[in-house]
Amino acid sequence: GENVEQHPSTLSVQEGDSAVIKCTYSDSASNYFPWYKQELGKRPQLIIDIRSNVGEKKDQRIAVTLNKTAKHFSLHITETQPEDSAVYFCAAGTGGFKTIFGAGTRLFVKA
Amino acid sequence: DGGITQSPKYLFRKEGQNVTLSCEQNLNHDAMYWYRQDPGQGLRLIYYSQIVNDFQKGDIAEGYSVSREKKESFPLTVTSAQKNPTAFYLCASNIGAGGSGELFFGEGSRLTVL
């Protein structure tokens, strides 16, 4: 079946450094790539998403890049802060029930 | 205050018992979903419903059942047939077909089988 692989599973960075999380997907029909952040004990929330008609999208300190040819996309967080510590999930699909999630990356930002 | 409400937050069950997890939304969303979250496995789709009185199996539907009698409500029953029910369960909703695709999640229900 279709799947989404996410790396690394755990990432530890110093406050102020950048963090990069990478995902690959298998379904070439995928055209929607959201990223969700889940803080400890809280619900996942969408932080940024990108559609296949663009290669990059930025929102303040976070950015997502997409390479459809290689079927991979990445989340970049610059100037990390302790409040960025959370689990991040990538996902790929065509939206709704046709969305496959990665296994998640636990990000630790050390003050 | 719009959103998705799940209850209970924590639930303990003895083996052989069925339990029902509640999910209510006041976002006027057509589509609702149930996901299971296990450590290191991301979110896996159990069931989804795109419209009232209709629902479909997701990737891991065995041992679960749902109903969608009202637009606002999508309860999940974990039956005794589910071999490994201890997990964190997340309900979500979105506008549905033609929408942005963003999923809105509840705060989850943690089920522990004793």
Side-chain angles (χ1 to χ4, degrees), chain A residues 2 97 99-101, chain B residues 34-35 43-48 56-62:
Chain A
E2 308 301 344
F97 66 92
T99 299
I100 306 297
F101 285 84
Chain B
W34 274 104
Y35 289 92
L43 306 178
R44 292 184 291 168
L45 183 63
I46 304 172
Y47 266 99
Y48 65 95
Q56 304 295 330
K57 293 181 179 180
D59 301 318
I60 56 165
E62 185 176 350

Side-chain angles (χ1 to χ4, degrees), chain B residues 26-84:
Chain B
N26 61 4
L27 299 169
N28 199 33
H29 285 167
D30 286 320
M32 297 187 74
Y33 311 82
W34 274 104
Y35 289 92
R36 172 175 170 144
Q37 185 175 15
D38 294 286
Q41 293 196 49
L43 306 178
R44 292 184 291 168
L45 183 63
I46 304 172
Y47 266 99
Y48 65 95
S49 167
Q50 294 181 280
I51 198 167
V52 176
N53 293 320
D54 184 63
F55 50 83
Q56 304 295 330
K57 293 181 179 180
D59 301 318
I60 56 165
E62 185 176 350
Y64 300 98
S65 66
V66 293
S67 63
R68 186 86 187 277
E69 297 176 1
K70 297 187 299 182
K71 187 175 185 177
E72 302 79 17
S73 179
F74 192 41
L76 174 75
T77 297
V78 185
T79 75
S80 56
Q82 168 49 235
K83 296 188 188 327
N84 185 20

Side-chain angles (χ1 to χ4, degrees), chain A:
Chain A
E2 308 301 344
N3 75 310
V4 174
E5 292 191 2
Q6 183 171 347
H7 300 280
S9 57
T10 305
L11 179 60
S12 184
V13 300
Q14 205 66 38
E15 182 179 1
D17 288 349
S18 295
V20 180
I21 302 170
K22 299 182 179 182
C23 291
T24 60
Y25 62 97
S26 60
D27 185 1
S28 56
S30 296
N31 60 11
Y32 178 61
F33 307 89
W35 287 86
Y36 289 85
K37 175 184 180 182
Q38 186 178 28
E39 297 178 29
L40 190 62
K42 295 190 176 180
R43 70 189 77 198
Q45 291 188 297
L46 181 74
I47 54 170
I48 194 167
D49 56 12
I50 191 169
R51 294 200 177 267
S52 58
N53 56 345
V54 297
E56 184 173 358
K57 184 176 179 181
K58 191 173 181 180
D59 183 2
Q60 299 183 352
R61 295 186 299 107
I62 60 173
V64 59
T65 59
L66 170 65
N67 183 328
K68 282 217 76 178
T69 303
K71 294 184 189 171
H72 65 71
F73 56 112
S74 301
L75 177 72
H76 304 252
I77 306 174
T78 59
E79 300 173 17
T80 53
Q81 301 167 3
E83 52 264 39
D84 294 330
S85 296
V87 177
Y88 292 81
F89 293 98
C90 66
T94 54
F97 66 92
K98 296 180 182 176
T99 299
I100 306 297
F101 285 84
T105 296
R106 186 171 296 277
L107 174 64
F108 297 96
V109 180
K110 297 177 286 186

